[in-house]
Amino acid sequence: HVQLVESGGGSVQAGGSMTLSCVASGYDFSVLYMAWFRRAPGGEREGVAAIDTTGHTVYPYSVNDRFTVSRDNAKNTLYLHMNDLKAEDTAMYYCAADVVNFQLGRSYENWGQGTQVTVS
């Protein structure tokens, strides 16, 4: 079982930037496929970035060129760098991990508790 702890959320003005972090424990981080998801109030959980074990990344069109996912295997940490934030980016952001490459699918077995991002 993988434990995931997100941090870095908060409030930011539209057009601003923010970086989220997710520290993983309980498993060999380097073999995990990782992703970031978000859920806005009243909405469904949406994948916003995924990264595989080789560093290959996938993004949906809604965040393309604004969000960048990266990983530091030495620190067991996943990052999400968000630029040009918009009000519609307001959501709870979650990181997810699995040994299967689900990319932006929601079948990940392991989830963090989330960190809130509010853009005004």
Side-chain angles (χ1 to χ4, degrees):
H1 182 69
V2 182
Q3 291 81 46
L4 302 169
V5 180
E6 303 96 335
S7 62
S11 297
V12 64
Q13 291 188 333
S17 300
M18 183 177 287
T19 297
L20 306 182
S21 300
C22 171
V23 177
S25 61
Y27 209 87
D28 181 355
F29 183 75
S30 67
V31 305
L32 292 173
Y33 296 89
M34 304 292 299
W36 286 99
F37 288 76
R38 68 184 180 189
R39 176 179 283 166
E44 294 188 352
R45 192 168 290 187
E46 170 195 20
V48 296
I51 185 167
D52 69 12
T53 57
T54 69
H56 176 73
T57 57
V58 177
Y59 306 93
Y61 179 78
S62 59
V63 307
N64 201 27
D65 294 333
R66 298 191 300 120
F67 289 11
T68 301
V69 60
S70 62
R71 63 191 298 162
D72 185 336
N73 289 344
K75 295 182 178 180
N76 294 343
T77 303
L78 179 74
Y79 301 99
L80 183 66
H81 309 275
M82 304 182 289
N83 297 317
D84 189 23
L85 283 161
K86 307 175 185 299
E88 51 264 40
D89 294 318
T90 294
M92 185 72 78
Y93 283 72
Y94 303 86
C95 69
D98 209 294
V99 295
V100 177
N101 189 7
F102 291 113
Q103 296 193 336
L104 298 177
R106 290 177 281 183
S107 298
Y108 288 83
E109 181 174 353
N110 304 282
W111 294 84
Q113 293 300 306
T115 185
Q116 177 68 36
V117 173
T118 303
V119 184
S120 59

